[in-house]
Amino acid sequence: MIRQGVAVHMFDRDLQEVIEKENKEFLEQATERAAEIEEEPGKVALSPLENRLPTVELGDFSDDALETYRQQAKIADAVDSDEFNRRLLRQGLLKEEAGILVPTGFGFLLFGREPRTAMRQAGLLGLIHYPSGQSERREFDEPAVMIPDLVEKWLKDKLPNVFDRGQAHRQERPALPFEMVREAVANALIHRDYSIDGAKCQIVVTEDTIAVQSPGEPPSPITLKQLQDFSAPMLSRNPELHFVFARMGMAEEQGLGLVSIRDRAKELGLPRPRYTRDEPYLVLTLYRSAEGATKALGEDTLKALSKSERKGWQWLAARGKAKSGEYAETMGVEARTSRRHLGHFEELGLVRRTGSGPSQRYEVT
């Protein structure tokens, strides 16, 4: 419908959950029927990655990647067994041509021993910018199912002594919110636009932030504002990838991983994660400390904020949105001071005003 110029608006996430709950039995049956349907001759592929890749054979799959999937997804069938391969066939990760099983693009991304030999945009680039001014990079060219764990291990190995503020402090808080990073990396690999072959996913770590960059715009009809509000409906650009990562416990079963990342940040007392666009990337910024959202502001913006405004911005960045009265009560300031602070934030482009009258709120952009 979208390709034919029809405007499509999806239900909000909370209403989608109600619909799914009320139709749970029907949806489960429909999913089972879809999994049993063999590929029809002449079927139109929605993505080129549904087709086989030239010069790639089943033997180019990594045994370690397949075994990782089997174990984490709790699949009883042995790797390379007929039952296991039929499972991959039904999932769209293999195709049968002239009686021979060959990998699809999605299958090679997930399990290929060297995915970048056939797809330049595969994998992920990791960058750490140290406070000393030095940087370190690491190319993750392994099968996609192995990358989130490899990224986590790399960061754990590199970061414990990076920002040394005392042993007691390091014990109190890990160097990074690793579970959030792991899910953000998985989501970037799952939902990116693989038609952009000149860009790959990236993770950039600084003293205050972790930015996970995923090539492409939000999958239509999802908007950037819905992502920023953490209200985006459940939709995946690459459902074949999403299904595998979800079975392995590295992604939400439905949706874009928004809720778990937002809620985990709140539990850790960290500022609300932030979605932005930096062509051609969709960027998810995670903050490493409660002060991270303030310290990550540009130099000019920081200079424009008073000491009390910086304190207020730190609180608002973690909360995401608030009314003027809530800000005044929490910060212990008068109503007119609250309005002045929030108005200044709006002038600087840090928040936007929504609603009017008693329901008026200020939302972090």
Side-chain angles (χ1 to χ4, degrees):
M1 292 176 68
I2 295 172
R3 288 197 296 270
Q4 298 302 318
V6 177
V8 176
H9 302 281
M10 298 186 70
F11 292 117
D12 288 339
R13 186 183 183 92
D14 55 352
L15 185 53
Q16 276 192 304
E17 291 173 349
V18 172
I19 294 172
E20 286 194 344
K21 182 178 180 181
E22 295 298 324
N23 296 276
K24 181 178 180 181
E25 184 176 350
F26 167 78
L27 292 173
E28 288 178 348
Q29 293 174 357
T31 301
E32 291 176 0
R33 290 196 299 271
E36 293 171 355
I37 297 176
E38 296 291 339
E39 188 166 337
E40 301 173 4
K43 177 183 175 182
V44 178
L46 299 178
S47 166
L49 298 180
E50 295 181 11
N51 298 318
R52 73 163 297 182
L53 291 176
T55 74
V56 173
E57 307 295 340
L58 186 58
D60 294 320
F61 274 178
S62 161
D63 290 339
D64 288 342
L66 291 170
E67 183 61 25
T68 297
Y69 174 46
R70 189 191 73 82
Q71 291 185 15
Q72 294 189 15
K74 297 180 173 59
I75 297 171
D77 306 323
V79 170
D80 288 335
S81 67
D82 290 341
E83 293 80 6
F84 188 83
N85 287 339
R86 279 198 295 271
R87 180 185 296 271
L88 299 184
L89 184 66
R90 290 195 300 270
Q91 291 173 212
L93 308 178
L94 294 177
K95 287 177 71 77
E96 187 171 358
E97 294 187 356
I100 299 175
L101 294 178
V102 293
T104 63
F106 284 125
F108 196 61
L109 272 172
L110 289 165
F111 307 120
R113 192 177 296 110
E114 297 180 67
R116 294 201 71 203
T117 58
M119 303 177 66
R120 292 179 301 168
Q121 68 272 41
L124 178 139
L125 170 64
L127 291 168
I128 301 176
H129 296 301
Y130 297 110
S132 64
Q134 295 182 323
S135 297
E136 185 169 349
R137 65 183 286 151
R138 160 80 150 85
E139 296 277 356
F140 293 90
D141 296 334
E142 294 84 357
V145 295
M146 304 182 74
I147 289 177
D149 285 339
L150 290 171
V151 169
E152 181 175 347
K153 182 180 185 302
W154 178 63
L155 293 175
K156 284 182 175 179
D157 289 343
K158 296 294 180 180
L159 292 180
N161 298 318
V162 172
F163 310 121
D164 188 356
R165 298 188 180 96
Q167 180 67 27
H169 187 82
R170 286 205 306 273
Q171 289 179 342
E172 180 180 334
R173 181 187 300 142
L176 287 176
F178 288 109
E179 64 275 33
M180 293 169 60
V181 172
R182 189 167 177 264
E183 183 158 7
V185 167
N187 287 333
L189 295 169
I190 294 167
H191 301 296
R192 65 153 292 174
D193 184 349
Y194 282 96
S195 68
I196 304 176
D197 61 7
K200 63 192 302 186
C201 292
Q202 299 185 31
I203 178 170
V204 182
V205 181
T206 69
E207 184 176 9
D208 302 304
T209 63
I210 311 107
V212 180
Q213 304 177 8
S214 177
E217 298 180 356
S220 182
I222 291 175
T223 65
L224 179 60
K225 184 179 185 304
Q226 286 176 311
L227 291 176
Q228 292 171 336
D229 294 341
F230 289 84
S231 63
M234 301 173 187
L235 181 67
S236 175
R237 176 183 274 120
N238 304 303
E240 291 87 348
L241 303 183
H242 194 182
F243 179 82
V244 169
F245 276 95
R247 286 292 305 273
M248 296 176 71
M250 288 194 285
E252 286 186 1
E253 187 67 32
Q254 297 288 341
L256 303 170
L258 303 180
V259 174
S260 59
I261 290 175
R262 178 201 64 193
D263 291 350
R264 186 57 179 152
K266 186 176 181 180
E267 290 172 8
L268 295 172
L270 297 173
R272 199 179 202 192
R274 184 184 183 199
Y275 276 100
T276 54
R277 280 284 288 162
D278 184 11
E279 293 290 349
Y281 296 98
L282 177 65
V283 183
L284 172 61
T285 300
L286 309 174
Y287 297 98
R288 299 187 59 180
S289 66
E291 303 81 13
T294 301
K295 295 172 69 176
L297 295 175
E299 184 177 348
D300 291 341
T301 303
L302 276 174
K303 288 180 179 180
L305 296 175
S306 66
K307 183 177 181 180
S308 61
E309 285 175 331
R310 292 185 187 187
K311 182 179 179 182
W313 169 247
Q314 180 176 316
W315 172 80
L316 186 57
R319 184 180 177 90
K321 57 186 176 183
K323 295 180 180 179
S324 179
E326 294 171 329
Y327 182 94
E329 181 179 356
T330 303
M331 303 311 301
V333 298
E334 295 180 355
R336 62 181 179 179
T337 303
S338 172
R339 291 192 296 269
R340 186 174 68 249
H341 283 193
L342 293 169
H344 194 197
F345 296 159
E346 186 177 17
E347 290 174 7
L348 294 171
L350 301 177
V351 301
R352 60 171 172 264
R353 198 182 326 184
T354 62
S356 59
S359 63
Q360 186 176 86
R361 294 176 182 272
Y362 292 84
E363 297 181 354
V364 175
T365 57

